[in-house]
Amino acid sequence: ASGDYVNSLESRLAQADKENRELNKELKLIQAIQRRQEKALGKYEGSNSDIPKALRRKDEDIRMLREQLRTVKEQMRDLEDSQARKDKHLQTIRDKSRHLEQ
């Protein structure tokens, strides 16, 4: 009976050792994954500092483009007004010319 008890304990010990080895393998794998994630996160955080600068540059570019657009629209309105005045003046001259021809 004591031999069966010893065999049972040895079997349980062997099973515990096997589980311990499997858990150690899993722990090493998890640690390797964690190191890779930390490394990737470090790269992201390092490049992340450039993002606010890039956003500010883009905001400034947008502001300048809007200002240019506003200027071009104003110039376009001025040109359209000038063209309308010239067209009106030309029509007046044509009307006078027709009147003189009659």
Side-chain angles (χ1 to χ4, degrees):
S2 70
D4 288 339
Y5 181 70
V6 170
N7 285 339
S8 172
L9 287 177
E10 287 176 349
S11 175
R12 287 174 54 195
L13 179 60
Q15 183 64 28
D17 282 341
K18 182 180 176 185
E19 283 184 39
N20 192 20
R21 285 190 303 274
E22 289 173 3
L23 288 172
N24 278 330
K25 284 181 187 179
E26 187 176 343
L27 178 62
K28 287 180 182 183
L29 179 62
I30 290 172
Q31 287 172 338
I33 292 171
Q34 181 181 7
R35 282 190 300 275
R36 275 185 263 147
Q37 289 175 342
E38 286 173 351
K39 185 176 179 181
L41 184 60
K43 286 180 183 179
Y44 175 74
E45 287 174 343
S47 66
N48 201 18
S49 64
D50 293 337
I51 291 174
K53 292 176 190 174
L55 288 174
R56 283 193 295 275
R57 282 193 305 267
K58 290 297 177 188
D59 286 344
E60 182 61 19
D61 290 345
I62 289 170
R63 187 195 65 74
M64 289 174 57
L65 289 171
R66 284 184 176 152
E67 183 64 33
Q68 289 175 357
L69 178 61
R70 193 171 17 260
T71 302
V72 168
K73 283 182 177 181
E74 187 176 315
Q75 290 172 349
M76 185 69 140
R77 277 191 302 272
D78 291 346
L79 287 172
E80 288 171 347
D81 292 346
S82 175
Q83 186 64 41
R85 284 192 306 276
K86 288 177 182 179
D87 287 346
K88 186 175 179 181
H89 181 67
L90 181 59
Q91 188 60 43
T92 303
I93 292 173
R94 285 182 181 158
D95 290 345
K96 286 181 182 180
S97 175
R98 282 192 203 119
H99 181 67
L100 290 174
E101 288 176 358
Q102 294 175 353

